[in-house]
Amino acid sequence: MTRRNGGDVTVESLTALGATHVFGIPGQHALGLFDAIRRSDLTFVSSRVENNSVFAADGYARTTGQVGVVFCSTGPGALTALGALQEAYAACVPILMITSQIPRDGLGGRGIPA
């Protein structure tokens, strides 16, 4: 039996809810999500900057009527996406952004123990 992680559960949930496309940029703290996408039927659309991923998901949502799903990396990646998220919010476009998090031991500038 293969061990499942949070990425698997997230991708399985999105698939069960009818998602077909996910936008974003792979990041080291979200590798579980991207490994799970690779094993799924979801189509991943990458961009070079996080806000462009949200803008793409916004356009996708406006043209298809589906929720635009975005996977975003921790910290600066999530912050870079805020302007595009504000645009989607102001225009009432349904966007779901999922960000990763570093392990609890790494929070607060303590770094990740060896």
Side-chain angles (χ1 to χ4, degrees):
M1 180 172 164
T2 304
R3 187 168 183 227
R4 293 169 54 222
N5 63 27
D8 294 309
V9 173
T10 300
V11 167
E12 290 166 12
S13 297
L14 290 171
T15 302
L17 291 170
T20 58
H21 291 74
V22 175
F23 300 82
I25 299 176
Q28 75 178 28
H29 297 299
L31 293 178
L33 287 170
F34 293 99
D35 284 343
I37 286 177
R38 183 179 45 82
R39 294 187 296 270
S40 77
D41 291 331
L42 291 175
T43 299
F44 179 70
V45 181
S46 184
S47 68
R48 292 183 180 218
V49 181
E50 287 84 356
N51 62 343
N52 289 343
S53 295
V54 179
F55 284 132
D58 180 310
Y60 175 81
R62 290 180 194 226
T63 58
T64 65
Q66 297 181 358
V67 174
V69 180
V70 181
F71 284 172
C72 198
S73 61
T74 305
L79 183 61
T80 303
L82 284 180
L85 286 171
Q86 289 172 325
E87 167 63 28
Y89 177 76
C92 298
V93 177
I95 299 288
L96 172 64
M97 187 167 107
I98 300 171
T99 61
S100 60
Q101 180 59 288
I102 63 173
R104 185 179 301 231
D105 290 339
L107 294 174
R110 296 177 298 210
I112 300 174

